[in-house]
Amino acid sequence: IDSILATIFCILSIYLIYKNQNAKDIIKISNKLECCSIFNFSYNLFMYIYYCCNPKTKIDKLNIIVNPIIFLTILILPSSLKISDNLSYMVAIGPTVMFTNFIVMLMLALTLILSIKNYKKLQEKIIPVIFYITFLIFIAIIRKIKPEFICLEFLMTFSNLIMYQTIENPDLKIIRQLNLAHIEAEKANNAKSDFIS
């Protein structure tokens, strides 16, 4: 959902800049909403790893407090647009983008540290998780060095595909195996009941 929203806001910004350069305020709001989606993406990844490492722990209060504060900060901070003369690229700049970059890098670093500290709990997920987080950090660095290179949304989607194929799929296989084991146990229990009858 985060990568879809970020893509929508990015496309909206690009569309508006080509159609109506006077819509800069709407473009800035769209860019700020894109920043919110990018932050939420990194925050959801952190929470996913956190719950993988501590499945019984609940920190819902943290979600209720942290997310709105960061979203509000992103929306309140000023931003501006850097647009090339030939409209070949447009990039949001200013405190909003700097704050988003900082928060996203912090979330990714915390996620990486959490993953490494809990490598035994993550078991076979640890290598894909570290690769995945390293890939996201690489994307964030590219975005910081060359902001006009519009690749973030595509790479977020690609990273989701990596996550699904390497991290989530083993979970689905385990669930399928558990369901099969449950069905086999029920069959054995029914056979035993029939035998006793």
Side-chain angles (χ1 to χ4, degrees):
I1 291 171
D2 291 320
S3 60
I4 288 171
L5 288 175
T7 303
I8 289 168
F9 294 131
C10 180
I11 290 170
L12 177 65
S13 298
I14 292 168
Y15 174 78
L16 287 171
I17 202 66
Y18 280 109
K19 287 294 181 187
N20 183 7
Q21 286 193 30
N22 296 325
K24 289 184 180 176
D25 289 336
I26 298 171
I27 296 168
K28 285 179 192 176
I29 291 169
S30 181
N31 281 328
K32 287 183 178 200
L33 292 172
E34 181 185 2
C35 286
C36 288
S37 299
I38 292 166
F39 156 70
N40 206 48
F41 179 88
S42 63
Y43 185 78
N44 285 335
L45 176 64
F46 173 78
M47 294 308 295
Y48 169 79
I49 298 299
Y50 183 85
Y51 282 122
C52 283
C53 298
N54 309 291
K56 294 181 180 175
T57 307
K58 290 194 176 187
I59 52 171
D60 295 331
K61 289 179 184 174
L62 181 68
N63 292 331
I64 292 168
I65 296 168
V66 170
N67 268 355
I69 289 173
I70 292 178
F71 286 145
L72 246 105
T73 306
I74 289 171
L75 294 173
I76 290 171
L77 285 172
S79 70
S80 56
L81 299 171
K82 182 179 176 184
I83 304 167
S84 66
D85 292 335
N86 61 356
L87 298 179
S88 60
Y89 76 88
M90 170 207 66
V91 65
I93 55 174
T96 298
V97 176
M98 289 169 44
F99 177 74
T100 304
N101 287 341
F102 172 75
I103 291 292
V104 168
M105 289 300 280
L106 179 67
M107 294 306 304
L108 292 175
L110 289 172
T111 307
L112 185 61
I113 291 165
L114 184 67
S115 301
I116 292 169
K117 278 180 74 175
N118 294 284
Y119 70 94
K120 288 182 181 176
K121 291 180 183 176
L122 292 171
Q123 296 168 356
E124 74 278 348
K125 289 184 181 185
I126 189 63
I127 292 172
V129 163
I130 289 174
F131 173 76
Y132 180 66
I133 296 167
T134 306
F135 182 69
L136 291 174
I137 290 171
F138 175 71
I139 293 169
I141 291 169
I142 288 175
R143 174 76 172 205
K144 178 73 178 147
I145 293 171
K146 200 150 178 76
E148 65 272 12
F149 182 57
I150 303 173
C151 65
L152 189 63
E153 288 73 20
F154 165 74
L155 292 175
M156 278 172 64
T157 305
F158 182 69
S159 63
N160 282 338
L161 185 62
I162 292 170
M163 182 177 185
Y164 178 74
Q165 295 299 329
T166 60
I167 300 169
E168 279 301 308
N169 254 358
D171 287 347
L172 297 174
K173 288 175 188 172
I174 290 169
I175 289 169
R176 259 185 256 124
Q177 288 171 349
L178 286 172
N179 286 337
L180 286 172
H182 180 72
I183 290 167
E184 291 298 319
E186 279 185 355
K187 284 180 184 176
N189 192 31
N190 289 340
K192 182 186 82 169
S193 297
D194 290 344
F195 177 76
I196 290 171
S197 302

